């Protein structure tokens, strides 16, 4: 059976939004202080010239991206641990599926280790501090 890939909430085509719709969205922001989620974006002004609006440094962009990824990995680790903890409260599930519950815990540990690695000032030192031998060895392959 084929999977239905119909987009139930299609994004509006920005080319179809006319100046009247843009003016209405701008007016809504000015009058009511918020933008409806389906409003077309207001027209963009030309960026100001000068050092205040210079392109961001690629290294700082990479660092910021790594920080955001680390935060998401940590959040996922918490969610995975919570899921495993909930499953452990049912003694029948815990008894029948201990290996799966341990695998869930291992996933959370790997996510935390990768998050710390992304946040580290020195990746080589951070790799050596990974507590999971298998993951530490995999990361060593890159240095």
């Amino acid at each position: 059976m084929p999977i239905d890939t119909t987009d139930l909430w299609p994004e509006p085509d920005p080319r179809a939004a006319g100046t009247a719709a843009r003016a209405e969205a701008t007016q809504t922001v000015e009058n009511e202080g918020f933008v409806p989620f389906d409003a077309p974006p207001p027209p963009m002004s030309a960026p100001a010239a000068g050092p205040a609006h210079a392109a961001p440094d690629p290294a700082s962009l990479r660092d910021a991206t790594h920080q955001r990824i680390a935060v998401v990995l940590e959040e996922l680790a918490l969610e995975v641990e919570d899921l495993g903890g909930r499953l452990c409260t049912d003694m029948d599930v815990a008894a029948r599926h201990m290996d799966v519950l341990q695998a869930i815990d291992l996933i959370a540990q790997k996510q935390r280790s990768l998050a710390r690695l992304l946040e580290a000032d020195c990746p080589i030192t951070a790799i050596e501090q990974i507590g999971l031998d298998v993951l530490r060895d995999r990361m060593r392959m890159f240095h």
Side-chain angles (χ1 to χ4, degrees):
M1 172 178 230
I3 297 174
D4 182 14
T5 59
T6 304
D7 188 358
L8 298 177
W9 294 277
E11 292 292 322
D13 183 358
R15 294 169 292 177
T19 55
R22 289 186 191 280
E24 182 180 322
T26 304
Q27 182 118 15
T28 301
V29 172
E30 292 170 355
N31 293 343
E32 300 174 25
F34 71 94
V35 179
F37 74 92
D38 57 349
M44 294 184 56
S45 59
H53 296 292
D57 175 35
S60 61
L61 277 176
R62 183 187 64 241
D63 291 345
T65 301
H66 287 181
Q67 290 295 320
R68 288 182 178 153
I69 293 169
V71 168
V72 172
L73 283 170
E74 183 64 36
E75 290 171 355
L76 288 170
L78 289 170
E79 291 174 18
V80 166
E81 282 180 338
D82 182 57
L83 174 64
R86 289 176 188 218
L87 292 172
C88 284
T89 60
D90 184 332
M91 294 317 252
D92 291 332
V93 170
R96 284 192 318 247
H97 303 287
M98 186 55 65
D99 56 334
V100 174
L101 294 169
Q102 289 173 337
I104 288 172
D105 182 57
L106 186 60
I107 291 168
Q109 289 180 50
K110 286 179 181 180
Q111 289 172 318
R112 279 211 170 84
S113 295
L114 291 173
R116 283 189 216 106
L117 181 57
L118 286 170
E119 293 175 322
D121 291 329
C122 178
I124 294 172
T125 303
I127 287 170
E128 295 309 315
Q129 294 173 347
I130 294 174
L132 301 167
D133 295 338
V134 173
L135 183 59
R136 185 176 54 247
D137 291 343
R138 284 182 70 185
M139 294 299 107
R140 281 180 180 155
M141 291 179 358
F142 298 109
H143 74 273

